[in-house]
Amino acid sequence: MLLFTLAARVGFGQEEYFKIEDKEKKTGVTRAEAAREIERPETGSGKFADKLRLGGSFGLRLGSYTNINLSPMAGVALTDNFVMGLGATYMYVRSSYYIPTSNDHFYGARAFARYNFLPMIHLHAEHEMMNVSFYNHGYGKYQFVDKEFPRRWIHSPMLGIGYTQPLEGKLVRGIHATLLYNFNYNNHINPSINYDPRFFNPSMSQRNISPYASPIVFRVTIL
Protein backbone atom coordinates (compact mmCIF):
# COMPACT_ATOMS: atom_id res chain seq x y z
CA MET A 1 0.00 0.00 0.00
CA LEU A 2 2.82 2.39 0.87
CA LEU A 3 4.58 1.64 -2.41
CA PHE A 4 1.33 2.24 -4.32
CA THR A 5 0.86 5.63 -2.59
CA LEU A 6 4.41 6.72 -3.32
CA ALA A 7 4.07 5.63 -6.94
CA ALA A 8 0.83 7.60 -7.30
CA ARG A 9 2.47 10.71 -5.85
CA VAL A 10 5.45 10.38 -8.18
CA GLY A 11 3.11 9.90 -11.13
CA PHE A 12 1.07 12.97 -10.15
CA GLY A 13 4.25 15.02 -9.71
CA GLN A 14 5.48 13.99 -13.15
CA GLU A 15 2.12 14.91 -14.68
CA GLU A 16 2.27 18.38 -13.10
CA TYR A 17 5.88 18.78 -14.25
CA PHE A 18 4.96 18.01 -17.86
CA LYS A 19 1.97 20.40 -17.66
CA ILE A 20 4.27 23.18 -16.49
CA GLU A 21 6.88 22.35 -19.13
CA ASP A 22 4.24 22.28 -21.87
CA LYS A 23 2.75 25.65 -20.77
CA GLU A 24 6.25 27.14 -20.64
CA LYS A 25 6.93 26.09 -24.25
CA LYS A 26 3.55 27.25 -25.61
CA THR A 27 3.31 30.64 -23.90
CA GLY A 28 6.95 31.60 -23.43
CA VAL A 29 6.48 32.45 -19.75
CA THR A 30 9.04 31.51 -17.13
CA ARG A 31 8.78 28.17 -15.35
CA ALA A 32 7.79 29.87 -12.07
CA GLU A 33 4.97 31.79 -13.80
CA ALA A 34 3.79 28.64 -15.56
CA ALA A 35 3.70 26.81 -12.22
CA ARG A 36 1.57 29.57 -10.65
CA GLU A 37 -0.88 29.44 -13.57
CA ILE A 38 -1.20 25.66 -13.23
CA GLU A 39 -1.82 25.96 -9.48
CA ARG A 40 -4.46 28.72 -9.90
CA PRO A 41 -7.28 27.83 -12.34
CA GLU A 42 -8.59 30.45 -14.75
CA THR A 43 -11.34 32.64 -13.35
CA GLY A 44 -13.92 31.65 -15.92
CA SER A 45 -13.76 27.94 -15.02
CA GLY A 46 -13.30 28.09 -11.25
CA LYS A 47 -15.73 27.89 -8.37
CA PHE A 48 -17.81 30.88 -7.30
CA ALA A 49 -15.39 31.56 -4.44
CA ASP A 50 -12.60 31.97 -7.02
CA LYS A 51 -14.67 34.58 -8.88
CA LEU A 52 -15.63 36.60 -5.81
CA ARG A 53 -13.97 40.01 -5.29
CA LEU A 54 -14.22 42.04 -2.09
CA GLY A 55 -12.88 45.50 -1.31
CA GLY A 56 -13.96 49.12 -1.57
CA SER A 57 -12.72 52.68 -1.40
CA PHE A 58 -12.13 55.40 1.15
CA GLY A 59 -12.20 59.13 0.52
CA LEU A 60 -11.26 62.17 2.61
CA ARG A 61 -11.64 65.88 1.92
CA LEU A 62 -10.92 68.47 4.62
CA GLY A 63 -11.51 72.20 4.82
CA SER A 64 -14.59 74.40 4.77
CA TYR A 65 -16.34 71.41 3.16
CA THR A 66 -15.36 68.14 4.86
CA ASN A 67 -16.31 64.85 3.20
CA ILE A 68 -15.39 61.46 4.71
CA ASN A 69 -16.42 58.67 2.36
CA LEU A 70 -16.49 54.92 3.09
CA SER A 71 -17.63 52.59 0.28
CA PRO A 72 -17.44 48.79 0.65
CA MET A 73 -17.81 46.84 -2.62
CA ALA A 74 -18.34 43.25 -3.74
CA GLY A 75 -18.06 41.91 -7.26
CA VAL A 76 -18.00 38.76 -9.38
CA ALA A 77 -15.37 38.18 -12.07
CA LEU A 78 -17.35 36.97 -15.10
CA THR A 79 -14.05 36.57 -16.95
CA ASP A 80 -10.43 37.23 -16.02
CA ASN A 81 -10.82 40.82 -17.26
CA PHE A 82 -14.47 41.70 -16.58
CA VAL A 83 -15.96 42.30 -13.12
CA MET A 84 -19.49 43.40 -12.18
CA GLY A 85 -20.74 44.16 -8.69
CA LEU A 86 -22.52 46.29 -6.12
CA GLY A 87 -21.40 48.69 -3.43
CA ALA A 88 -22.73 50.77 -0.56
CA THR A 89 -21.64 54.32 0.26
CA TYR A 90 -21.66 56.32 3.48
CA MET A 91 -20.49 59.93 3.73
CA TYR A 92 -20.08 62.21 6.70
CA VAL A 93 -20.34 65.79 5.49
CA ARG A 94 -19.55 68.98 7.40
CA SER A 95 -20.07 72.31 5.67
CA SER A 96 -19.02 75.77 6.82
CA TYR A 97 -20.77 77.49 3.92
CA TYR A 98 -23.82 78.06 6.09
CA ILE A 99 -24.34 79.70 9.48
CA PRO A 100 -24.55 77.76 11.70
CA THR A 101 -22.19 75.07 10.36
CA SER A 102 -24.14 72.00 9.20
CA ASN A 103 -23.26 68.35 9.78
CA ASP A 104 -25.01 65.53 7.97
CA HIS A 105 -24.87 61.94 6.79
CA PHE A 106 -25.29 60.90 3.16
CA TYR A 107 -25.85 57.29 2.14
CA GLY A 108 -26.55 55.27 -0.96
CA ALA A 109 -25.60 52.41 -3.25
CA ARG A 110 -23.96 51.79 -6.61
CA ALA A 111 -23.81 49.17 -9.34
CA PHE A 112 -20.58 48.98 -11.36
CA ALA A 113 -18.76 47.18 -14.16
CA ARG A 114 -15.01 47.20 -14.79
CA TYR A 115 -13.21 45.85 -17.85
CA ASN A 116 -9.42 45.58 -18.19
CA PHE A 117 -8.88 45.92 -21.96
CA LEU A 118 -5.13 45.99 -21.22
CA PRO A 119 -3.46 44.23 -18.26
CA MET A 120 -3.02 47.51 -16.34
CA ILE A 121 -5.65 49.78 -17.98
CA HIS A 122 -9.37 49.51 -17.30
CA LEU A 123 -12.69 51.08 -18.21
CA HIS A 124 -15.16 51.65 -15.37
CA ALA A 125 -18.90 52.37 -15.55
CA GLU A 126 -21.28 52.78 -12.63
CA HIS A 127 -24.61 54.17 -11.54
CA GLU A 128 -24.70 55.64 -8.04
CA MET A 129 -27.80 56.59 -6.06
CA MET A 130 -27.24 58.90 -3.09
CA ASN A 131 -29.59 60.27 -0.45
CA VAL A 132 -28.42 63.81 0.34
CA SER A 133 -29.65 66.80 2.30
CA PHE A 134 -29.55 70.41 1.09
CA TYR A 135 -30.08 73.84 2.54
CA ASN A 136 -33.60 75.21 2.04
CA HIS A 137 -33.17 78.74 0.69
CA GLY A 138 -36.92 79.22 0.35
CA TYR A 139 -36.60 81.14 -2.94
CA GLY A 140 -37.89 78.52 -5.36
CA LYS A 141 -40.94 76.59 -6.38
CA TYR A 142 -40.56 74.13 -3.49
CA GLN A 143 -40.43 75.87 -0.14
CA PHE A 144 -40.01 72.86 2.21
CA VAL A 145 -41.51 75.07 4.91
CA ASP A 146 -41.02 72.72 7.84
CA LYS A 147 -37.47 71.61 7.00
CA GLU A 148 -34.26 73.58 6.98
CA PHE A 149 -32.27 70.66 5.49
CA PRO A 150 -34.70 68.43 3.52
CA ARG A 151 -33.44 65.26 1.82
CA ARG A 152 -33.55 64.00 -1.74
CA TRP A 153 -32.28 61.01 -3.79
CA ILE A 154 -29.95 61.93 -6.65
CA HIS A 155 -28.62 59.69 -9.44
CA SER A 156 -25.09 59.80 -10.84
CA PRO A 157 -24.22 57.79 -13.98
CA MET A 158 -20.42 57.77 -14.29
CA LEU A 159 -17.91 56.54 -16.85
CA GLY A 160 -14.13 56.66 -16.79
CA ILE A 161 -10.73 55.10 -17.32
CA GLY A 162 -8.02 54.12 -14.88
CA TYR A 163 -4.85 52.28 -13.96
CA THR A 164 -4.78 48.84 -12.30
CA GLN A 165 -1.94 47.57 -10.14
CA PRO A 166 -2.41 43.77 -9.96
CA LEU A 167 -2.24 42.01 -6.59
CA GLU A 168 -1.96 38.32 -5.73
CA GLY A 169 -4.73 38.17 -3.10
CA LYS A 170 -7.54 35.64 -3.25
CA LEU A 171 -10.39 38.15 -2.91
CA VAL A 172 -8.49 41.34 -3.77
CA ARG A 173 -6.84 41.19 -7.20
CA GLY A 174 -5.86 44.80 -7.73
CA ILE A 175 -5.59 48.45 -6.72
CA HIS A 176 -7.50 50.63 -9.17
CA ALA A 177 -7.00 54.39 -9.61
CA THR A 178 -9.91 55.66 -11.71
CA LEU A 179 -10.89 59.03 -13.15
CA LEU A 180 -14.67 59.25 -13.68
CA TYR A 181 -17.03 61.78 -15.22
CA ASN A 182 -20.45 62.32 -13.60
CA PHE A 183 -22.86 62.92 -16.50
CA ASN A 184 -25.66 64.12 -14.21
CA TYR A 185 -23.67 66.55 -12.06
CA ASN A 186 -25.09 69.74 -13.56
CA ASN A 187 -28.64 68.47 -12.95
CA HIS A 188 -28.14 68.14 -9.19
CA ILE A 189 -29.70 71.52 -8.57
CA ASN A 190 -31.03 72.77 -5.25
CA PRO A 191 -34.82 72.82 -5.86
CA SER A 192 -35.41 75.58 -3.31
CA ILE A 193 -33.52 78.26 -5.28
CA ASN A 194 -34.92 80.81 -7.67
CA TYR A 195 -32.30 81.33 -10.38
CA ASP A 196 -33.49 84.73 -11.48
CA PRO A 197 -30.37 86.88 -10.77
CA ARG A 198 -32.62 89.86 -10.01
CA PHE A 199 -33.65 88.12 -6.79
CA PHE A 200 -30.95 85.60 -5.92
CA ASN A 201 -27.63 84.56 -7.40
CA PRO A 202 -26.20 81.67 -5.34
CA SER A 203 -22.67 80.37 -5.66
CA MET A 204 -22.03 76.97 -7.23
CA SER A 205 -21.41 75.46 -3.78
CA GLN A 206 -24.92 76.52 -2.70
CA ARG A 207 -26.58 75.67 -6.01
CA ASN A 208 -25.40 72.08 -6.54
CA ILE A 209 -26.48 69.48 -3.96
CA SER A 210 -24.11 66.75 -5.15
CA PRO A 211 -21.65 65.51 -2.50
CA TYR A 212 -18.88 65.82 -5.10
CA ALA A 213 -17.08 69.09 -5.74
CA SER A 214 -17.16 68.78 -9.55
CA PRO A 215 -18.29 66.39 -12.30
CA ILE A 216 -14.78 64.88 -12.27
CA VAL A 217 -14.53 62.16 -9.61
CA PHE A 218 -11.23 60.46 -8.73
CA ARG A 219 -11.28 57.17 -6.84
CA VAL A 220 -8.74 54.69 -5.55
CA THR A 221 -10.35 51.27 -5.05
CA ILE A 222 -9.13 47.88 -3.97
CA LEU A 223 -11.03 44.94 -5.44
Side-chain angles (χ1 to χ4, degrees):
M1 186 67 180
L2 178 62
L3 290 175
F4 177 79
T5 303
L6 291 173
R9 289 184 177 179
V10 169
F12 179 77
Q14 289 178 337
E15 182 182 357
E16 291 297 302
Y17 173 82
F18 287 121
K19 282 184 180 180
I20 294 171
E21 187 177 41
D22 184 59
K23 190 172 185 66
E24 181 184 14
K25 289 179 180 179
K26 288 181 177 180
T27 62
V29 299
T30 65
R31 181 152 301 194
E33 290 173 337
R36 284 197 296 269
E37 290 297 324
I38 293 296
E39 291 172 1
R40 188 177 70 187
E42 292 185 0
T43 302
S45 61
K47 299 178 181 178
F48 179 77
D50 297 325
K51 302 177 183 180
L52 186 63
R53 304 287 182 266
L54 296 178
S57 61
F58 174 79
L60 179 64
R61 178 187 176 189
L62 301 175
S64 56
Y65 184 81
T66 298
N67 184 328
I68 302 174
N69 180 343
L70 182 62
S71 301
M73 299 168 66
V76 176
L78 302 183
T79 70
D80 287 340
N81 298 318
F82 185 55
V83 177
M84 295 185 69
L86 300 172
T89 299
Y90 167 78
M91 292 184 181
Y92 169 75
V93 177
R94 182 177 183 274
S95 176
S96 299
Y97 292 133
Y98 308 112
I99 303 298
T101 297
S102 65
N103 299 272
D104 215 329
H105 307 274
F106 297 173
Y107 50 85
R110 71 175 69 144
F112 70 90
R114 178 181 292 127
Y115 177 68
N116 279 78
F117 62 93
L118 293 174
M120 302 181 79
I121 305 295
H122 66 263
L123 290 175
H124 182 99
E126 72 172 59
H127 186 97
E128 181 182 70
M129 297 182 300
M130 187 73 66
N131 187 277
V132 303
S133 67
F134 56 91
Y135 182 70
N136 176 19
H137 292 277
Y139 290 98
K141 178 179 178 182
Y142 305 100
Q143 298 300 310
F144 307 104
V145 175
D146 297 327
K147 294 182 179 180
E148 187 177 14
F149 286 92
R151 304 192 69 90
R152 168 164 291 193
W153 284 96
I154 60 175
H155 295 259
S156 300
M158 303 188 199
L159 180 67
I161 191 169
Y163 172 83
T164 295
Q165 176 60 52
L167 298 176
E168 293 295 329
K170 183 175 179 59
L171 297 176
V172 178
R173 293 294 179 83
I175 300 175
H176 315 277
T178 309
L179 197 63
L180 297 165
Y181 184 82
N182 183 350
F183 290 93
N184 209 26
Y185 180 81
N186 291 325
N187 294 322
H188 295 158
I189 303 302
N190 189 326
S192 74
I193 292 178
N194 185 335
Y195 294 103
D196 189 333
R198 294 174 300 173
F199 302 103
F200 190 73
N201 187 20
S203 67
M204 178 61 73
S205 62
Q206 296 172 310
R207 186 166 70 90
N208 198 300
I209 63 176
S210 171
Y212 301 108
S214 79
I216 304 298
V217 178
F218 177 73
R219 282 208 190 107
V220 176
T221 305
I222 60 170
L223 193 69

Coordinates of all heavy atoms in Angstrom, one line a residue, residues 10 14 25 30 32-33 46 59 64 68 77 97 99 115 120 141-142 146 155 163 165 181 184 191 195:
V10 N 4.4 10.1 -7.2 CA 5.4 10.4 -8.2 C 4.8 10.6 -9.5 O 5.2 11.5 -10.3 CB 6.4 9.2 -8.2 CG1 7.4 9.3 -9.4 CG2 7.3 9.2 -6.9
Q14 N 5.0 14.0 -11.8 CA 5.5 14.0 -13.1 C 4.5 14.6 -14.1 O 4.8 15.4 -15.0 CB 5.8 12.6 -13.6 CG 7.0 12.0 -12.9 CD 7.3 10.6 -13.4 OE1 6.4 9.9 -13.8 NE2 8.5 10.1 -13.2
K25 N 6.6 26.1 -22.8 CA 6.9 26.1 -24.3 C 5.9 26.8 -25.1 O 6.3 27.6 -26.0 CB 7.1 24.7 -24.7 CG 8.3 23.9 -24.2 CD 8.3 22.5 -24.7 CE 9.5 21.7 -24.1 NZ 9.5 20.3 -24.6
T30 N 8.0 32.2 -17.9 CA 9.0 31.5 -17.1 C 8.4 30.3 -16.5 O 7.2 30.2 -16.3 CB 9.7 32.4 -16.1 OG1 8.6 32.8 -15.1 CG2 10.2 33.7 -16.7
A32 N 8.5 29.5 -13.3 CA 7.8 29.9 -12.1 C 6.4 30.4 -12.4 O 5.4 30.1 -11.7 CB 8.6 30.9 -11.3
E33 N 6.3 31.2 -13.4 CA 5.0 31.8 -13.8 C 4.0 30.7 -14.3 O 2.8 30.7 -14.0 CB 5.1 32.9 -14.9 CG 5.8 34.1 -14.4 CD 6.1 35.1 -15.5 OE1 6.2 34.6 -16.7 OE2 6.2 36.3 -15.2
G46 N -13.4 28.5 -12.6 CA -13.3 28.1 -11.2 C -14.6 28.1 -10.5 O -15.7 28.3 -11.1
G59 N -12.5 57.8 1.0 CA -12.2 59.1 0.5 C -12.2 60.1 1.7 O -12.9 60.0 2.7
S64 N -13.3 73.8 4.5 CA -14.6 74.4 4.8 C -15.7 73.4 4.4 O -16.8 73.5 4.9 CB -14.8 75.7 4.0 OG -14.6 75.5 2.6
I68 N -16.0 62.7 4.4 CA -15.4 61.5 4.7 C -16.3 60.4 4.1 O -17.4 60.2 4.4 CB -15.3 61.3 6.2 CG1 -14.4 62.4 6.8 CG2 -14.6 59.9 6.5 CD1 -14.4 62.4 8.3
A77 N -16.2 38.2 -10.8 CA -15.4 38.2 -12.1 C -16.0 37.2 -13.1 O -15.9 36.0 -13.0 CB -13.9 37.8 -11.8
Y97 N -20.2 76.5 4.8 CA -20.8 77.5 3.9 C -22.0 78.2 4.5 O -22.3 79.3 4.2 CB -21.2 76.8 2.6 CG -20.1 76.3 1.8 CD1 -20.1 75.1 1.2 CD2 -18.9 77.1 1.5 CE1 -19.1 74.6 0.4 CE2 -17.9 76.6 0.8 CZ -18.0 75.4 0.2 OH -16.9 74.9 -0.6
I99 N -24.4 79.3 8.1 CA -24.3 79.7 9.5 C -25.7 79.3 10.1 O -26.7 79.8 9.7 CB -24.1 81.2 9.6 CG1 -22.8 81.6 8.9 CG2 -24.0 81.6 11.1 CD1 -21.6 81.0 9.5
Y115 N -13.8 46.7 -16.8 CA -13.2 45.9 -17.8 C -11.8 46.3 -18.1 O -11.5 47.4 -18.4 CB -14.0 45.9 -19.2 CG -13.4 45.1 -20.3 CD1 -13.4 43.7 -20.2 CD2 -12.8 45.7 -21.4 CE1 -12.8 43.0 -21.2 CE2 -12.2 45.0 -22.4 CZ -12.2 43.6 -22.3 OH -11.7 42.9 -23.3
M120 N -3.1 46.5 -17.4 CA -3.0 47.5 -16.3 C -3.9 48.7 -16.6 O -3.8 49.7 -15.9 CB -1.6 47.9 -16.1 CG -0.7 46.7 -15.7 SD 1.0 47.2 -15.4 CE 0.9 47.8 -13.7
K141 N -39.6 77.2 -6.2 CA -40.9 76.6 -6.4 C -41.3 75.8 -5.2 O -42.5 75.8 -4.7 CB -41.0 75.8 -7.7 CG -42.3 75.1 -7.9 CD -42.3 74.3 -9.2 CE -43.6 73.6 -9.4 NZ -43.6 72.8 -10.7
Y142 N -40.3 75.0 -4.6 CA -40.6 74.1 -3.5 C -40.0 74.8 -2.2 O -38.8 75.0 -2.1 CB -39.9 72.8 -3.7 CG -40.3 72.1 -5.0 CD1 -39.5 72.2 -6.1 CD2 -41.5 71.4 -5.1 CE1 -39.9 71.6 -7.3 CE2 -42.0 70.8 -6.3 CZ -41.1 70.9 -7.4 OH -41.5 70.3 -8.5
D146 N -41.3 73.3 6.5 CA -41.0 72.7 7.8 C -39.6 72.1 8.0 O -39.3 71.6 9.0 CB -42.0 71.6 8.2 CG -43.5 72.2 8.2 OD1 -43.6 73.4 8.6 OD2 -44.4 71.5 7.9
H155 N -29.2 60.8 -8.7 CA -28.6 59.7 -9.4 C -27.4 60.2 -10.2 O -27.4 61.3 -10.8 CB -29.7 59.1 -10.4 CG -30.8 58.5 -9.8 ND1 -31.0 57.1 -9.6 CD2 -31.9 59.0 -9.2 CE1 -32.1 56.8 -9.0 NE2 -32.7 58.0 -8.7
Y163 N -6.1 53.1 -14.0 CA -4.9 52.3 -14.0 C -5.0 51.2 -12.9 O -5.5 51.5 -11.8 CB -3.6 53.1 -13.6 CG -2.4 52.4 -13.3 CD1 -1.6 51.9 -14.4 CD2 -2.0 52.0 -12.0 CE1 -0.4 51.2 -14.1 CE2 -0.8 51.3 -11.8 CZ 0.0 50.9 -12.8 OH 1.1 50.2 -12.6
Q165 N -3.1 48.2 -10.6 CA -1.9 47.6 -10.1 C -2.3 46.2 -9.6 O -3.0 46.1 -8.6 CB -1.3 48.4 -9.0 CG -0.1 47.7 -8.4 CD 1.0 47.5 -9.4 OE1 1.4 48.4 -10.1 NE2 1.5 46.3 -9.5
Y181 N -16.3 60.6 -14.9 CA -17.0 61.8 -15.2 C -18.5 61.5 -14.9 O -19.1 60.5 -15.3 CB -16.9 62.2 -16.7 CG -17.6 63.5 -17.0 CD1 -17.0 64.7 -16.7 CD2 -18.9 63.4 -17.5 CE1 -17.7 65.9 -17.0 CE2 -19.6 64.6 -17.8 CZ -19.0 65.8 -17.5 OH -19.6 67.0 -17.8
N184 N -24.5 63.5 -14.7 CA -25.7 64.1 -14.2 C -25.3 65.2 -13.2 O -26.3 65.8 -12.6 CB -26.5 63.1 -13.5 CG -28.0 63.4 -13.6 OD1 -28.5 64.1 -14.5 ND2 -28.8 63.0 -12.6
P191 N -33.5 72.5 -5.4 CA -34.8 72.8 -5.9 C -35.5 74.0 -5.1 O -36.5 74.4 -5.5 CB -35.6 71.5 -5.6 CG -34.9 70.9 -4.5 CD -33.5 71.2 -4.6
Y195 N -33.5 81.0 -9.7 CA -32.3 81.3 -10.4 C -32.4 82.7 -11.1 O -31.5 83.0 -11.9 CB -31.9 80.2 -11.3 CG -31.6 79.0 -10.6 CD1 -32.5 77.9 -10.5 CD2 -30.4 78.9 -9.9 CE1 -32.1 76.8 -9.8 CE2 -30.0 77.8 -9.2 CZ -30.9 76.7 -9.1 OH -30.6 75.6 -8.4

